Amino acid sequence: MKTGNTQNFIKIMGLLGLFAISACKGSGGSKSEDPFTATNFNLYDQDLGKRIETYHNANTPGNETKRGTPALYIDFSSGINKAFSDPTVKNMMSACFNTVLAQQFEVYKLGSNKISLLNVANTTELGQQVSDPKQYADIWAPLQSTVEKIVDGNSDALLITDFEEWQKNIEVTNTAFLKIPFSKWLEKGNAVHFFIVDYKEGKVNKHLYFTIFSSGNPDAGSLISKLESKLAPSTTRFDLSNTAYQLSTGYPSEKSGGIFYDESAKSDKAKNVLDLKEGYINGLKNGQNFEFYPLGLDWKNIDQLHSTYAAQNQFNDFFRKLFIDLSNDDSYTFGNFSVKVSDVTTDFENFAKAEEAKKHQPKLAKGNNGEAKFSDQEKDEIALACYNPDGKLKAQWIYKAQPSNPLNEVFTLNQTLFTNTRASNPKNVEFGVAFDPKFSVANIHNPEGLIKVDILSNTATTNLQGAKMAKFEWVNAKNTPNTALSESIKNTLQELKPVDKVVYSYYIKTKQ
């Protein structure tokens, strides 16, 4: 090629290159690369723990933020006032009223096929209404509608009723009319606690149910925490839940977690052989079933430590001192548990970027024809890249959970520890996450990634019989068995059996 032609060729290619670059750009900035990379956004900075906590909560039922005001629903259908006049029931109701009305609360009356807001200023006024026989004029307490209203919300509620449902002037006696709302409530990670009192309505043996709908993981401010001690002594309690177990830890200190420490070392720093950093989070303290472990070692060094200490019969387990109470078998009897290990790096990074994008709402203006556009003053690269000119987030920056990448032969459940501690005390069964016998660093495909270790419940037997379940049935005045409530509960339990469900999660981030 001649020199002149060569120079012309170079000029033409240069112009084409400039055209290609400009074509990739627009008012939204560079569209050919991740705006978070371009702005040096670091997902793994000092806020990593907070991001993982938000990520975990977003992907875990029961961790939604409670909204709205807790509520009290009272059945005012005819006949039930006889139960309310029983001295034991009266004392229980007074204790409930005094407790719940001490804070902001909504009180509803169920009757005349309506759910009516009761305007009561204090417990005295509420007690007067409950004690007034004239308030119990009909049998039409809309119980299905009430439970649906509670479930559609996401707040604690107390429902006091006999669970007699009438629809189209006919008593519901065998249809599982509450199965759908009960299932919906439990699927959110919630629970229903029944405190049951036996009473007679004429010659009919019936039950009054102080029913607490508990939203999320209970804490000191939850309704169940406040009322269980007041209701339990005079009642039979039944917990409708697929997470009726209680978890606890027995860690040496608040910041040590459950990882291996060399107790024979002379200093705290030397004991901390895995170099657990300050960013450690124990979510269980706040009712969240997860922990985050930022470690100063990489997997190669962890593997070497495992081999070194194995010769001394130590560091066989990566995690210890997590306990589960399996004594509550109202709904299910839990069987086997297992450990699943995953690389969640890609999903976590997508989530973190989507969350960050929400913080970069662009400034908008109107164009010459009234169309929405980015303001000329908007220079935020993340805002320009992640949003459309109308101010709506682009679809690719709206988080959608992705399947994690399974990692095999990394960790396994310490089955011997689990079996022995369960046989010794079902209320204090210990989980241990052990190194898999075939553990190898090569099994961790991305050693710098975010590793998630889940403890899963693998089997659970539904408990459909027994003295407690019998409390959800009765024979009415026409000598017809009413099994509608028990069928609702049984159907819910059979549908939501906690098989292969995550019980607890550990997140591990090693040194990069």
Side-chain angles (χ1 to χ4, degrees):
M1 187 180 288
K2 293 181 181 179
T3 304
N5 289 339
T6 302
Q7 290 175 340
N8 288 335
F9 176 76
I10 293 171
K11 286 180 180 179
I12 291 170
M13 293 305 294
L15 288 171
L16 287 173
L18 287 172
F19 176 76
I21 292 170
S22 62
C24 288
K25 292 187 176 182
S27 60
S30 172
K31 298 187 180 181
S32 60
E33 68 175 320
D34 186 333
F36 297 94
T37 301
T39 54
N40 297 317
F41 174 66
N42 182 9
L43 297 171
Y44 297 96
D45 59 14
Q46 68 276 5
D47 292 325
L48 175 59
K50 292 179 183 177
R51 290 191 185 98
I52 289 174
E53 182 175 10
T54 306
Y55 171 69
H56 177 80
N57 290 343
N59 287 285
T60 305
N63 284 329
E64 300 93 348
T65 302
K66 295 181 183 181
R67 63 180 185 271
T69 304
L72 169 61
Y73 296 84
I74 305 174
D75 186 340
F76 275 84
S77 58
S78 60
I80 204 169
N81 61 317
K82 295 178 182 178
F84 290 169
S85 63
D86 180 271
T88 299
V89 173
K90 252 187 167 180
N91 289 335
M92 290 169 61
M93 293 183 76
S94 295
C96 289
F97 297 165
N98 289 331
T99 300
V100 300
L101 295 180
Q103 62 187 87
Q104 186 181 4
F105 228 86
E106 292 176 349
V107 183
Y108 293 93
K109 171 184 178 179
L110 311 182
S112 303
N113 276 327
K114 294 186 297 185
I115 305 169
S116 308
L117 188 65
L118 270 181
N119 293 315
V120 289
N122 50 53
T123 55
T124 302
E125 287 185 14
L126 179 56
Q128 288 172 344
Q129 293 223 30
V130 170
S131 301
D132 181 3
K134 294 192 293 293
Q135 298 292 330
Y136 303 84
D138 59 54
I139 60 177
W140 317 115
L143 296 173
Q144 181 173 333
S145 300
T146 300
V147 174
E148 288 171 347
K149 175 179 170 61
I150 293 170
V151 168
D152 286 341
N154 203 35
S155 294
D156 289 354
L158 170 62
L159 168 61
I160 306 175
T161 179
D162 60 0
F163 277 112
E164 264 193 12
E165 171 78 340
W166 290 72
Q167 296 179 4
K168 297 180 180 179
N169 298 336
I170 299 173
E171 183 182 0
V172 178
T173 58
N174 54 28
T175 303
F177 69 103
L178 293 176
K179 183 260 180 183
I180 292 176
F182 279 166
S183 297
K184 187 177 177 181
W185 184 252
L186 263 62
E187 281 176 335
K188 294 181 181 182
N190 303 327
V192 185
H193 308 280
F194 298 90
F195 294 85
I196 309 164
V197 181
D198 299 331
Y199 76 100
K200 268 188 174 291
E201 185 179 303
K203 295 181 179 181
V204 178
N205 294 313
K206 295 184 65 177
H207 313 288
L208 183 68
Y209 304 89
F210 288 76
T211 311
I212 298 175
F213 290 78
S214 189
S215 175
N217 293 317
D219 54 30
S222 298
L223 209 52
I224 183 64
S225 302
K226 293 180 176 180
L227 293 180
E228 59 185 339
S229 63
K230 297 175 172 60
L231 296 174
S234 304
T235 62
T236 298
R237 174 174 174 170
F238 181 93
D239 296 317
L240 176 59
S241 171
N242 55 5
T243 57
Y245 45 77
Q246 298 293 320
L247 292 159
S248 61
T249 57
Y251 298 159
S253 68
E254 186 175 328
K255 296 183 178 181
S256 67
I259 55 174
F260 171 68
Y261 281 79
D262 186 351
E263 296 301 332
S264 65
K266 294 182 179 179
S267 68
D268 288 341
K269 185 175 182 180
K271 290 178 181 179
N272 186 12
V273 292
L274 295 178
D275 194 15
L276 180 62
K277 298 298 186 182
E278 284 292 320
Y280 162 72
I281 294 177
N282 183 350
L284 195 58
K285 294 188 300 181
N286 299 316
Q288 300 163 329
N289 296 352
F290 88 99
E291 291 173 65
F292 167 52
Y293 286 83
L295 304 179
L297 301 184
D298 58 22
W299 283 106
K300 183 178 179 181
N301 280 307
I302 291 171
D303 187 28
Q304 291 173 349
L305 281 171
H306 173 228
S307 299
T308 300
Y309 280 98
Q312 306 169 29
N313 196 28
Q314 295 190 77
F315 198 23
N316 298 314
D317 298 311
F318 200 93
F319 297 113
R320 284 287 294 266
K321 300 296 182 183
L322 173 67
F323 298 93
I324 185 169
D325 181 350
L326 294 175
S327 62
N328 186 339
D329 58 2
D330 285 357
S331 295
Y332 301 99
T333 299
F334 285 87
N336 298 328
F337 291 78
S338 66
V339 166
K340 181 181 75 172
V341 185
S342 310
D343 184 329
V344 295
T345 308
T346 300
D347 190 49
F348 166 70
E349 290 184 354
N350 289 341
F351 173 83
K353 290 173 183 177
E355 286 296 295
E356 183 65 22
K358 294 177 185 176
K359 302 174 184 176
H360 293 258
Q361 285 271 354
K363 302 180 186 73
L364 301 179
K366 292 289 185 182
N368 291 334
N369 295 315
E371 76 278 10
K373 66 168 224 172
F374 294 127
S375 167
D376 294 337
Q377 283 73 46
E378 185 57 79
K379 306 299 181 187
D380 185 333
E381 291 189 50
I382 293 177
L384 294 171
C386 295
Y387 286 81
N388 292 309
D390 61 1
K392 292 183 179 178
L393 200 60
K394 291 181 179 178
Q396 63 263 42
W397 299 113
I398 298 173
Y399 172 68
K400 299 177 185 66
Q402 296 180 340
S404 56
N405 299 315
L407 300 177
N408 300 319
E409 298 178 346
V410 176
F411 295 129
T412 187
L413 185 73
N414 185 332
Q415 190 62 55
T416 303
L417 174 70
F418 178 84
T419 301
N420 289 341
T421 54
R422 183 171 194 169
S424 173
N425 183 4
K427 294 179 70 67
N428 205 43
V429 185
E430 185 175 358
F431 286 126
V433 176
F435 284 94
D436 190 278
K438 296 181 181 179
F439 174 83
S440 168
V441 175
N443 296 337
I444 301 174
H445 309 142
N446 177 17
E448 294 183 352
L450 180 64
I451 306 301
K452 184 172 183 251
V453 182
D454 292 320
I455 296 176
L456 305 177
S457 64
N458 296 131
T459 59
T461 303
T462 311
N463 293 326
L464 304 178
Q465 304 297 329
K468 285 190 178 183
M469 191 62 70
K471 296 283 188 181
F472 297 109
E473 301 178 0
W474 59 92
V475 178
N476 67 17
K478 295 182 180 180
N479 211 32
T480 301
N482 190 317
T483 60
L485 179 57
S486 70
E487 287 301 312
S488 298
I489 291 171
K490 290 176 181 179
N491 277 266
T492 299
L493 292 175
Q494 289 171 319
E495 179 180 296
L496 300 182
K497 189 179 291 188
V499 174
D500 294 330
K501 299 293 184 182
V502 176
V503 172
Y504 201 79
S505 299
Y506 301 97
Y507 294 85
I508 306 170
K509 183 68 180 74
T510 55
K511 181 182 178 182
Q512 288 183 281

